[in-house]
Amino acid sequence: MSLRVLNPNAEVLNKSAALHMNINAAKGLQDVLKTNLGPKGTIKMLVGGAGDIKLTKDGNTLLKEMQIQNPTVIMIARTAVAQDDISGDGTTSTVIFIGELMKQSERYIDEGMHPRVLVDGFEIAKRATLQFLEKFKTPVVMGDEPDREILKMVARTTLRTKLYEALADQLTDIVANAVLCIRKPEEAIDLFMVEIMHMRHKFDVDTHLVEGLVLDHGSRHPDMKRRAENCYILTCNVSLEYEKSEINAGFFYSNAAQREAMVAAERRSVDERVKKIIELKNKVCSGNDNNFVVINQKGIDPPSLDLLARAGIIALRRAKRRNMERLVLACGGEAVNSVDDLTPDCLGWAGLVYEHVLGEEKYTFVENVKNPHSCTILIKGPNDHTIAQIKDAVRDGLRAVKNTIEDESVVLGAGAFEVAARQYLINEVKKTVQGRAQLGVEAFADALLVIPKTLAENSGLDTQDVIISLTGEHDRGNIVGLNQHTGEPIDPQMEGIFDNYSVKRQIINSGPVIASQLLLVDEVIRAGRNMRKPN
């Protein structure tokens, strides 16, 4: 009422209306994303304003592309997107978990319970679940040579929730090998050193890993070779084109010979740089059939290209800056910024460099390199939305492998952790809690079961049967997850279903915080400064 006096235009939702608006918004977003969870989840089709189509199961893509107007839903969506930014996966799980926490709370609030008591229970349950996660996780020793099989299992678990099974299994090897290729001992893993290149060509199963580099442009001279073996690679950032002087100067000449001399003088500095590169080529390639490739970040003008082509050098101009870093890591050698002190030590090596022309696009492949610390995942697909879908999945797969190497631990998947944590909260933690906060712990424990329930629902199984059989096994002391084909309990360790530890920790950390904030809202006031007076 007091607000009405201050601003008669303000829109106010009072206690129960505000709370129910928040609960319904969280449940609404949960219902949208629920069907996407797990390998058996369905696909959403997003159609843009211009009629462009995007097919996706990835919660992060959906939340970014959907136009959301409800303020509560925007808040939950932002949490889930932040989850993706931090750990690369778990967006759908976060949204579903927050929605279920709100749904469980609604039961108690409708019976007259105060939200603050529930929130206190959530806080106790969250701390206990995080402690349980520390005990529950499976340590993985990484060392100098990580266990490739574990990495593949984690990648497979992530990729199968984004793509169909056969393609996911193929990408599993690609993703694990790519991360192991760029990994250096004692250094953080930089996923930017994996170039993700796409070609609209052939089928999605033709996607493969190139241990080397794929550049999205080719040579600019018709006489240069399209394929060369045993190549020295010079990575440089040197301007090989005529540049106008920065000062405006005028020249007067009285005859043609003077004009010719002036033109020659203008070109001289550029030609000298080109000659130094040709001298280096003659030095390392004389007496053998090796080839020489120049990849330059700056421009090379036609006269310079012509000189290089006559000397039998393949030259590519205007390479991307990030590719310059990757080239040095893939081929060896070093990137040079001046041609004054060129030595054979500056050069990298590649066994094969060839050009692939696709329509009007040219791609240059640099392959068979000796000791690569950079590689390219070449994604192929018949149309744009297939390529986009694979691209999103590959990014998540790379992050999953990276997280496993950094966490040095994994968590059993297929809903095993959620059921185990729920049994722990109900059987042990709840007994230690005094008063009504017990109900908050119980609501949190029941909300955890939403993950196995949704997995069962998306597989067309009976959720009650599944939960009863899973909890029964856990009561007998067996750690089991859900077999999505039969609905029977399985041992995730035997099946190789593992989740990322950091993703699980992040979900348990962020979910209750947002749910608590939304439950403690007792008034929603729309009274911003920009609200106009009615005419």
Side-chain angles (χ1 to χ4, degrees):
M1 189 60 221
S2 50
L3 197 82
R4 282 260 175 262
V5 177
L6 295 175
N7 183 350
N9 295 336
E11 292 176 26
V12 184
L13 285 177
N14 287 12
K15 273 192 181 173
S16 61
L19 194 53
H20 280 97
M21 182 197 93
N22 283 347
I23 290 172
N24 289 334
K27 277 159 54 178
L29 187 60
Q30 181 197 19
D31 287 341
V32 171
L33 289 192
K34 202 157 117 182
T35 52
N36 286 20
L37 188 75
K40 297 266 186 180
T42 49
I43 294 176
K44 297 271 186 286
M45 183 175 182
L46 296 171
V47 183
D52 46 328
I53 294 171
K54 196 159 197 176
L55 294 171
T56 185
K57 274 172 83 174
D58 186 23
N60 179 43
T61 313
L62 269 171
L63 293 173
K64 279 185 175 168
E65 302 278 337
M66 280 196 304
Q67 284 195 340
I68 302 173
Q69 289 174 336
N70 185 303
T72 311
V73 179
I74 290 172
M75 191 171 163
I76 298 171
R78 279 188 190 150
T79 313
V81 170
Q83 158 88 23
D84 190 270
D85 292 343
I86 293 165
S87 50
D89 204 1
T91 33
T92 313
S93 306
T94 306
V95 169
I96 292 173
F97 184 44
I98 293 171
E100 192 64 18
L101 282 169
M102 302 295 277
K103 201 184 273 186
Q104 295 293 338
S105 309
E106 189 178 25
R107 281 171 40 204
Y108 295 104
I109 289 166
D110 286 347
E111 289 169 12
M113 190 171 176
H114 195 280
R116 169 56 68 190
V117 183
L118 275 174
V119 168
D120 291 345
F122 282 178
E123 191 53 39
I124 294 165
K126 182 180 104 173
R127 281 203 301 271
T129 311
L130 287 170
Q131 284 167 2
F132 178 70
L133 178 63
E134 292 300 322
K135 287 189 291 187
F136 188 84
K137 69 182 183 183
T138 311
V140 181
V141 180
M142 282 302 155
D144 291 336
E145 279 296 313
D147 184 348
R148 197 177 283 254
E149 284 309 309
I150 285 277
L151 298 181
K152 281 184 186 176
M153 287 170 188
V154 176
R156 188 182 300 125
T157 308
T158 301
L159 289 169
R160 278 191 180 180
T161 62
K162 315 268 183 252
L163 301 163
Y164 65 89
E165 210 166 285
L167 181 59
D169 291 354
Q170 184 188 340
L171 288 178
T172 300
D173 287 339
I174 293 174
V175 165
N177 291 340
V179 175
L180 290 176
C181 171
I182 61 164
R183 179 175 180 263
K184 290 181 182 173
E186 309 301 321
E187 281 186 38
I189 295 172
D190 180 8
L191 289 181
F192 279 107
M193 289 304 109
V194 178
E195 165 82 309
I196 298 178
M197 181 66 68
H198 63 270
M199 292 167 76
R200 270 186 64 173
H201 182 46
K202 294 191 178 175
F203 298 105
D204 47 11
V205 288
D206 294 309
T207 299
H208 63 276
L209 179 72
V210 177
E211 289 208 342
L213 212 61
V214 181
L215 308 170
D216 53 1
H217 51 89
S219 59
R220 292 282 179 195
H221 195 282
D223 295 344
M224 285 181 182
K225 290 182 185 174
R226 296 287 173 259
R227 180 185 179 90
E229 292 178 7
N230 302 336
C231 306
Y232 288 106
I233 308 265
L234 175 64
T235 311
C236 56
N237 182 18
V238 179
S239 174
L240 296 178
E241 55 189 342
Y242 165 64
E243 289 170 359
K244 288 184 176 172
S245 59
E246 289 181 15
I247 332 151
N248 284 330
F251 293 100
F252 296 96
Y253 47 83
S254 50
N255 57 28
Q258 285 179 351
R259 183 182 174 283
E260 288 302 315
M262 185 194 78
V263 172
E266 277 183 338
R267 289 265 348 147
R268 191 179 300 134
S269 63
V270 181
D271 288 349
E272 276 171 6
R273 282 182 225 150
V274 176
K275 277 175 188 149
K276 281 181 182 166
I277 292 174
I278 294 171
E279 276 167 27
L280 178 66
K281 186 255 175 186
N282 293 337
K283 191 170 163 187
V284 294
C285 294
S286 60
N288 55 35
D289 57 353
N290 292 346
N291 288 292
F292 198 88
V293 179
V294 175
I295 298 178
N296 192 13
Q297 193 180 329
K298 290 189 176 158
I300 307 176
D301 59 7
S304 304
L305 276 173
D306 200 47
L307 285 172
L308 292 168
R310 276 190 218 151
I313 295 175
I314 301 171
L316 279 80
R317 63 186 182 191
R318 306 215 185 279
K320 291 182 190 140
R321 181 169 170 268
R322 62 165 194 262
N323 278 341
M324 305 305 275
E325 292 174 40
R326 293 185 184 129
L327 266 168
V328 174
L329 284 170
C331 305
E334 55 192 59
V336 295
N337 292 319
S338 147
V339 290
D340 294 338
D341 308 313
L342 285 181
T343 62
D345 298 341
C346 306
L347 301 173
W349 173 265
L352 177 64
V353 175
Y354 65 95
E355 198 175 286
H356 182 101
V357 182
L358 191 66
E360 292 181 6
E361 305 275 329
K362 283 183 178 181
Y363 296 89
T364 304
F365 288 71
V366 180
E367 287 186 21
N368 299 357
V369 288
K370 278 178 183 164
N371 187 15
H373 283 295
S374 174
C375 55
T376 304
I377 295 177
L378 184 62
I379 296 172
K380 293 190 177 184
N383 45 40
D384 288 339
H385 56 252
T386 308
I387 291 170
Q389 203 177 349
I390 298 173
K391 223 177 201 177
D392 290 337
V394 164
R395 285 214 179 92
D396 286 356
L398 289 170
R399 297 277 281 281
V401 176
K402 177 183 178 229
N403 289 343
T404 309
I405 292 174
E406 288 176 352
D407 297 338
E408 296 199 344
S409 56
V410 289
V411 177
L412 295 176
F417 166 71
E418 286 78 6
V419 181
R422 191 250 180 187
Q423 298 301 83
Y424 172 73
L425 289 174
I426 296 289
N427 298 339
E428 295 181 36
V429 178
K430 192 180 163 191
K431 292 170 187 168
T432 63
V433 178
Q434 301 294 316
R436 288 189 298 169
Q438 280 189 6
L439 298 173
V441 175
E442 197 175 315
F444 188 99
D446 289 340
L448 280 172
L449 285 184
V450 72
I451 301 289
K453 271 183 192 168
T454 309
L455 288 171
E457 205 175 300
N458 291 348
S459 309
L461 302 165
D462 186 293
T463 49
Q464 277 81 13
D465 285 350
V466 165
I467 295 301
I468 288 166
S469 64
L470 288 180
T471 47
E473 286 288 339
H474 277 261
D475 285 338
R476 289 187 212 103
N478 303 327
I479 304 289
V480 293
L482 167 67
N483 181 336
Q484 292 210 300
H485 300 294
T486 61
E488 300 295 317
I490 51 161
D491 180 357
Q493 187 128 21
M494 299 302 291
E495 296 290 323
I497 302 171
F498 293 106
D499 288 329
N500 275 136
Y501 161 72
S502 53
V503 173
K504 282 277 182 252
R505 198 185 65 215
Q506 189 63 29
I507 292 171
I508 294 163
N509 258 322
S510 59
V513 172
I514 295 294
S516 303
Q517 286 179 337
L518 293 177
L519 285 172
L520 293 176
V521 170
D522 70 341
E523 273 194 278
V524 177
I525 304 161
R526 232 179 119 185
R529 282 188 173 278
N530 61 350
M531 290 197 61
R532 303 270 183 271
K533 281 185 181 176
N535 294 327

